[in-house]
Amino acid sequence: FRNLGLPLAKDDIVQLKEAYKWIIHPQLSEELGVPADGKSLFEVSVVFAHPETDEECRFLATACPDCFKPAKNKQSVFTRMAVIKALEKIKEEDFLKHFPCPPSSPKKLCDALEIQCNNGAVFVAGRYNKYSRNLPQTPWIIDGERKLESSVEELISEHLMAEFKADSFNFSSSGREDVDVRTLGNGRPFAIELVNPRRIRFTAEEMKRLQQAINDSSDKIQVRDLQLVTRSAIGRMKEGEEEKTKTYSALIWTDRAIQREDIAFLDDIKELKLDQKTPLRVLHRRPLAVRCRLIHTMRSEYIDEHHFRLHLKTQAGTYIKEFVHGDFGRTKPNIGSLLNRTADILELDVESVDVDWPPTLAD
Amino acid sequence: SRICVITLAEAHPLLQSGKTIKNINYQISANCSRLQNKVSGKSKRGAQFLTELAPLCRISSSDGEEYTIYSCIRGRLIEVNENILSNPALLQEKPSTEGYIAVVLPKFEESKSVTQGLLTQKEYEEVLLKRRSSAS
C-alpha cells in the first residue's frame, strides 16, 4: 500500500477478521432469521477445514525454516504464531516471488467439520470463611489417590454447578491458605467461573438463598456476599492478592521460657523487613529465590512461659510460618532470632484479607 | 515434599566436645566450588548433580584434622548454607537446624528409594552402639 502513495498507517487498514464479520453477520442473520451479536452470551462455533490453505503456507517453510518446529501435539506445523513470525521475517521482495498480492481466489470451498454450541461463562464472586484445620483449598490428590476429603472449592462450587447447570468450573481466590490454617473475619475473596451454564438469570433473592444453602450444607466453610460479577472483576481480585495486606493470629511456642517483658518489644516494631528464601516445604515446586517482605505491625499476647499469641499485619506474599520458626535460618529475621530462642508455630489463623472486593451485600 | 536437608550426624567428630572449626571450604576441586551452584526455575536447572559420594565441603578443625562431608544423597544441589561460612560456630551449636550444610532435591523417580535407603533415629543409634562395642 506504500507503493500506492497513500498516507496510510497500520491502524487504518481494516483487519481481515473485521471485514469478515461485516460480510458474514448480515448473511447469517438473514438466513437464520435472528440478529447476529458478536458479544452474545450464547456462542455457536463452527470449525472449518481447508487443506489448500496449508499448501499455500508451504513456501514460508522453505523461506524461514527456523520459524517452524515440527509440532507433536498440534495438527499442523503452520500455527498462527509461527506464520506471523515468518511473515515478519521474510523480506517483501521474497514474499512477492512466491505469493501474489493480492492473493488469488481459492479454487475449493472449505468444509464445515463440526458445530458446537456453548453458553458464555458467568462469574460468581463472594468471600469464604474456613473453620476447619483439615481442609485443603483445592482437592489434594497424589498419584490418583485423594489424600484429604473434599476442599473449599468443591464445597462452594457443588451447589453453584447444580443451580447454574454448568459443565465445569474454575475457582480462583485472592491468595490461599494452608490446609491447617483457618480463615476468619470477613473471609477471603473468591470468584468462580461457571463454564457453559444452562441457567444464568438469578435474582438477588435467589442468590441469597443459594448462599444460605451452601452455608447450611457445611460447618467447615461459610460464604458471604455471594453475587454475580463480570469477567473484569477477576482482575480486581488478583490485584488484591499481590498488593493488599493481610492480618494473622499465630500461636507460638518457645523452647526457653519467656516472661511478659521478653515479648513486649515486639509490639513496638514497625515495618520489619524480612528476607525470605523460598521455604523448604514448597521448594520442590517453586523456584529458589529470596523475597523481601514487610511485617507492618505486631501485637503480642502472653499466655505462659512457653506460649504466646502474636497478631501481625503483613505485606501480601509473606510466609508467616517461616517467619516464626525461621526455616533453618533461611528467613531472616524470624521470631526465634528476635527472641533469641527456638520458636515454632502451633496454630495459624487468617484474621483478615484487606481487599474491599467483592462489594459487601446488605443482609 | 522431596526436599532433603544435609546436616552433620550426631556422632560426627566435629560435634564432639573440644573441637573448634578453623575453616569451611566449599571449593572441593580446581573446577568445582559448591558456592558457584546456580539454579533457575521450578525444575532447578543448572544445579550441580550430586551422587552419594560427592563431597559437599571440607572442614578443618583447629587441631589440624580435616573432614570431608559427603552428600550421601543422589540429587540436584539446591543450595549450600552460606551462614556457616560467616559463622562456623553455628554448625556446632545448631547442627540440625540453622547449621545445616546443604539442600538437595532428588529426582522425582528416585525420591522414594532415597527415603527408604535412610536409617531411622533408632536404627542409627543401634549402628553407633555396635560401632562402640566392637571398638572397645
Side-chain angles (χ1 to χ4, degrees), chain A residues 143 277-288 325-330 332 334 336-337 340-342, chain B residues 1-3 5 7 39-42 44 78-83 94 96-100 103 105 108 112:
Chain A
D143 296 332
K277 279 201 193 154
T278 308
L280 291 177
R281 64 186 167 97
V282 301
L283 197 47
H284 62 291
R285 57 184 165 85
R286 294 269 174 76
L288 180 65
H325 61 61
D327 193 32
F328 289 76
R330 298 165 73 258
K332 289 192 278 210
N334 54 75
S337 68
N340 197 13
R341 287 160 172 79
T342 300
Chain B
S1 154
R2 301 138 30 219
I3 291 281
V5 182
T7 62
V39 302
S40 70
K42 248 198 276 188
K44 321 294 184 287
I78 306 292
E79 66 178 46
V80 290
N81 190 358
E82 300 196 16
N83 295 327
K94 300 216 170 124
S96 306
T97 55
E98 280 137 64
Y100 73 96
V103 177
L105 180 65
F108 185 75
K112 257 212 174 124

Side-chain angles (χ1 to χ4, degrees), chain A residues 38-290:
Chain A
K39 292 192 170 42
S40 156
L41 284 173
F42 184 77
E43 189 186 271
V44 180
S45 68
V46 186
V47 180
F48 292 99
H50 191 243
E52 286 71 26
T53 303
D54 236 37
E55 284 306 310
E56 284 183 350
C57 293
R58 211 147 290 277
F59 76 96
L60 283 174
T62 34
C64 305
D66 49 319
C67 292
F68 299 99
K69 287 174 221 141
K72 296 166 225 167
N73 301 324
K74 297 170 260 180
Q75 290 165 306
S76 165
V77 152
F78 301 110
T79 62
R80 197 196 149 99
M81 282 318 298
V83 171
I84 290 178
K85 213 168 145 192
L87 287 176
E88 282 176 357
K89 270 184 107 177
I90 195 172
K91 291 199 212 81
E92 211 174 310
E93 310 87 62
D94 293 331
F95 180 86
L96 287 171
K97 265 187 235 159
H98 298 281
F99 203 81
C101 183
S104 52
S105 285
K107 297 185 187 66
K108 290 209 188 123
L109 292 177
C110 51
D111 303 305
L113 288 183
E114 65 176 71
I115 302 179
Q116 258 194 20
C117 295
N118 267 305
N119 292 292
V122 293
F123 296 85
V124 176
R127 298 181 83 112
Y128 71 82
N129 283 101
K130 176 174 177 282
Y131 298 116
S132 162
R133 291 199 189 278
N134 231 331
L135 188 68
Q137 209 208 42
T138 52
W140 194 345
I141 302 173
I142 302 193
D143 296 332
E145 214 192 301
R146 192 183 269 268
K147 292 290 169 181
L148 270 181
E149 208 185 296
S150 195
S151 61
V152 173
E153 70 168 39
E154 285 168 300
L155 288 174
I156 301 177
S157 308
E158 234 173 342
H159 295 261
L160 294 178
M161 287 278 283
E163 283 297 316
F164 283 75
K165 302 199 205 300
D167 282 344
S168 63
F169 68 87
N170 288 317
F171 181 94
S172 58
S173 60
S174 185
R176 297 184 288 188
E177 60 282 308
D178 288 338
V179 172
D180 57 351
V181 175
R182 294 187 305 177
T183 308
L184 309 174
N186 260 351
R188 186 183 296 277
F190 68 87
I192 299 179
E193 177 186 357
L194 292 154
V195 179
N196 200 13
R198 287 358 179 265
R199 182 188 164 187
I200 60 173
R201 273 186 263 271
F202 287 84
T203 63
E205 254 315 306
E206 290 171 317
M207 288 304 285
K208 273 219 172 71
R209 265 184 269 145
L210 191 41
Q211 178 176 299
Q212 194 57 52
I214 297 176
N215 289 340
D216 291 338
S217 73
S218 171
D219 52 0
K220 294 189 181 174
I221 55 130
Q222 292 284 283
V223 300
R224 72 181 72 205
D225 303 332
L226 198 68
Q227 56 197 273
L228 286 161
V229 294
T230 61
R231 188 184 283 272
S232 55
I234 311 272
R236 283 227 50 197
M237 179 187 72
K238 283 301 178 183
E239 203 179 86
E241 183 168 344
E242 320 246 311
E243 297 170 21
K244 307 297 186 175
T245 59
K246 321 273 157 83
T247 65
Y248 301 89
S249 168
L251 180 58
I252 302 178
W253 167 89
T254 59
D255 63 341
R256 286 194 298 119
I258 45 166
Q259 305 308 324
R260 274 174 215 276
E261 313 83 77
D262 297 320
I263 61 171
F265 75 100
L266 291 172
D267 294 11
D268 301 325
I269 302 181
K270 306 284 173 227
E271 310 305 313
L272 178 65
K273 250 203 220 154
L274 301 183
D275 280 316
Q276 302 198 284
K277 279 201 193 154
T278 308
L280 291 177
R281 64 186 167 97
V282 301
L283 197 47
H284 62 291
R285 57 184 165 85
R286 294 269 174 76
L288 180 65
V290 182

